[in-house]
Amino acid sequence: MTFVADLEPKSLWAHFDQILMIPRGSKNEDKIRRHVVAIAERSGLDCRVDTVGNVVVKKLASAGCESAATTVLQSHLDMVNEKNSDVKHDFTKDPLKPVRDGEYLTADGTTLGSDNGIGVAAMLAIMEARDMTHGPLEFLFTIDEETGLVGASELDASMLDGKQLLNLDTEEEGAIYVGCAGGGDSALTLPLKFSPPPPDSKTLSIRLHGMKGGHSGVDIHLQRGNAIQLLARALSATALEVPFSLSTIEGGSAHNAIPREAFATIVVGDSEATPFTERLQTEVRQIQDEFRTAEPGMTLEVSGTEPSAEVMSEDAGATVLRLIDALPHGVVSMSYDIPDLVETSNNLATVKQVENALVIGTSSRSSVATALAGIRQKIRAIGELAGASVEEGNAYPGWKPDLDSHVLQVVKRVHMSELGSEPEIKAIHAGLECGIIGEKASGMDMTSIGPQIEFPHSPDERVKINSVGDFFRLLTSTLEELAKA
């Protein structure tokens, strides 16, 4: 147990403290699922698990509220495993190390998992509660949300009876979300040709790091740098002055995280090692100046390393850098209908070498289905022009706002009465599971709420401690109000 268990409200934070001890990266939810099931069984609640691993727990209404409509509470069990490269942490077994930073809770060099661990903790606290007023409740814990909303996509909706749902995956206090973007991933595979390095050459290791990264939906409008693309840009410009051979290039860790670090290995003639380094440093200094406000920590490191056994052919190396440089990254368009809402974006998310090929992962989002198809078509066109094969994952739907929603009206009233302010009604560019759940369970009336979570999907992730108490009060009071209906 850590200091987290002593924060208020203790019923929620004690569960989050336990969650910090449980590995739960995407596709590794078995232990956290067993934890949820154990709490349900200990509380005497009906619990079901579908074929993909989503969990539904049912709790009877409190006395006198049996005739109220069933409400579904929903959060996802998994988290994004992201850490700084100099931090030793094994996400398959090591507990997360919470750190108090003033009014925020963060983690020591890793993601905190408050996305969506706070929502999970809130649900577990309500499952165990004996003194709350509520109608019939269903608790839906989905798996593998962070890699493409997989659990929601494969959900056995027959496990649910409720037709009103509170999603607990929003990350902004004072806001109620009623819509989200849809999205889809693309994978580009570029064949590579290799040859032995030239004689009398030197191998250099290059690292561009210290960038902020962040959530590719929530933070994409902040115009942070993409480490992969900026390193490729700097290398392409350097090649015009000092020829070199590219051996490796890689970066990024998740489809929905903006890449914070990128790495390359190059081979250059012995006499050209210093001119190459100086030219690359000049190019990166110019990029640092360009991004000085958004990325003040951007850092370049160049050092000698073990000789590479092979290098890409001249054409292959040039094509790799041009392809990375050409692919779209960032905001593509803003919404015409909702002020300040990103309509369409793309995240150039990952680059890795697999045998004799370069594999590039991108994640596209849009609140307009045709625009989503359009940006993915552009990615395909760029990839195929470079000679890459392109595989597109299934797109997931967005969630269309319903401003006449009964649940929305209730949450708004409770927000005013309990928190003393009128909430903003918003849509989010990130993907929420509501769009998919709404397709699976037709007629579901949904809203999304949550505490203040900043910089998710990066080691800078933090949750505002006081906002968690406000969120939990809003949630429990909303359940009480819905029980009166």
Side-chain angles (χ1 to χ4, degrees), residues 238-475:
T238 299
L240 298 175
E241 302 291 334
V242 185
F244 64 88
S245 298
L246 184 64
S247 180
T248 65
I249 186 167
E250 61 182 10
S253 60
H255 79 115
N256 51 7
I258 300 168
R260 300 175 297 107
E261 299 178 306
F263 309 85
T265 307
I266 66 99
V267 174
V268 66
D270 280 337
S271 62
E272 298 295 325
T274 298
F276 169 87
T277 301
E278 292 174 347
R279 186 67 219 175
L280 182 64
Q281 289 171 334
T282 297
E283 295 295 335
V284 171
R285 276 197 298 271
Q286 292 172 352
I287 293 172
Q288 287 169 325
D289 184 60
E290 181 182 333
F291 283 85
R292 62 186 180 277
T293 301
E295 298 287 3
M298 187 190 303
T299 303
L300 174 71
E301 294 180 4
V302 182
S303 59
T305 188
E306 294 295 318
S308 293
E310 58 183 9
V311 297
M312 298 179 199
S313 68
E314 183 178 348
D315 286 346
T319 299
V320 164
L321 297 180
R322 289 169 184 160
L323 174 56
I324 294 172
D325 209 17
L327 286 168
H329 173 80
V331 175
V332 175
S333 62
M334 302 295 291
S335 172
Y336 291 107
D337 302 314
I338 302 177
D340 301 321
L341 176 67
V342 176
E343 179 191 274
T344 307
S345 74
N346 188 65
N347 182 38
L348 198 170
T350 57
V351 170
K352 59 182 178 180
Q353 286 177 223
V354 181
E355 296 180 348
N356 292 323
L358 188 82
V359 180
I360 301 174
T362 71
S363 180
S364 307
R365 303 176 189 268
S366 184
S367 52
V368 178
T370 52
L372 175 62
I375 189 62
R376 296 179 88 192
Q377 179 178 314
K378 177 175 287 191
I379 291 166
R380 173 177 288 277
I382 294 170
E384 291 179 345
L385 282 170
S389 61
V390 182
E391 181 178 350
E392 295 175 344
N394 292 331
Y396 57 85
W399 170 28
K400 186 177 180 179
D402 176 12
L403 299 183
D404 296 323
S405 155
H406 166 66
V407 175
L408 171 61
Q409 304 312 316
V410 171
V411 179
K412 284 173 63 178
R413 288 199 306 270
V414 173
H415 198 286
M416 284 288 295
S417 63
E418 290 294 324
L419 303 183
S421 63
E422 184 171 351
E424 290 186 82
I425 310 304
K426 305 178 77 171
I428 191 171
H429 185 58
L432 291 171
E433 292 160 292
C434 296
I436 296 173
I437 293 171
E439 274 200 345
K440 292 274 184 176
S442 179
M444 190 73 79
D445 182 0
M446 301 176 288
T447 60
S448 180
I449 58 175
Q452 183 73 19
I453 296 174
E454 300 172 7
F455 317 125
H457 300 186
S458 82
D460 297 322
E461 179 188 355
R462 63 184 191 175
V463 58
K464 190 177 180 182
I465 294 169
N466 288 345
S467 75
V468 174
D470 289 344
F471 155 68
F472 196 56
R473 185 148 55 101
L474 174 63
L475 174 59

Side-chain angles (χ1 to χ4, degrees), residues 29 63 361:
E29 301 100 335

Side-chain angles (χ1 to χ4, degrees), residues 11-175:
S11 61
L12 185 155
W13 284 110
H15 280 291
F16 188 66
D17 188 60
Q18 293 178 333
I19 289 169
L20 290 171
M21 307 298 160
I22 303 172
R24 56 187 182 93
S26 300
K27 304 186 186 301
N28 184 33
E29 301 100 335
D30 187 55
K31 289 183 180 179
I32 187 67
R33 178 171 47 246
R34 293 203 305 265
H35 179 72
V36 169
V37 170
I39 291 174
E41 292 176 345
R42 186 174 71 211
S43 303
L45 305 179
D46 177 60
C47 182
R48 306 174 191 178
V49 181
D50 67 13
T51 56
V52 297
N54 299 307
V55 181
V56 172
V57 178
K58 296 177 183 280
K59 184 176 183 180
L60 297 177
S62 50
C65 302
E66 293 85 357
S67 61
T70 299
T71 300
V72 182
L73 303 181
Q74 188 264 319
S75 296
H76 62 84
L77 293 173
D78 61 319
M79 64 172 282
V80 170
N81 290 342
E82 185 87 353
K83 69 180 185 68
N84 291 321
S85 58
D86 58 349
V87 171
K88 292 183 178 180
H89 185 89
D90 185 344
F91 281 105
T92 66
K93 63 179 182 180
D94 295 341
L96 299 172
K97 298 176 182 177
V99 176
R100 179 77 181 258
D101 182 12
E103 61 181 339
Y104 289 92
L105 183 72
T106 185
D108 186 11
T110 70
T111 38
L112 176 65
S114 55
D115 171 17
N116 191 206
I118 296 294
V120 172
M123 289 166 62
L124 294 176
I126 294 170
M127 279 168 50
E128 285 194 323
R130 295 286 180 255
D131 57 351
M132 290 184 186
T133 301
H134 55 78
L137 298 178
E138 294 177 331
F139 303 83
L140 171 58
F141 301 88
T142 52
I143 60 139
D144 206 2
E145 186 265 358
E146 300 289 10
T147 64
L149 308 164
V150 176
S153 298
E154 300 297 325
L155 172 67
D156 179 0
S158 68
M159 295 194 300
L160 298 175
D161 297 317
K163 289 297 183 182
Q164 53 189 27
L165 181 144
L166 293 169
N167 169 278
L168 309 182
D169 195 19
T170 288
E171 297 164 351
E172 183 178 356
E173 62 180 335

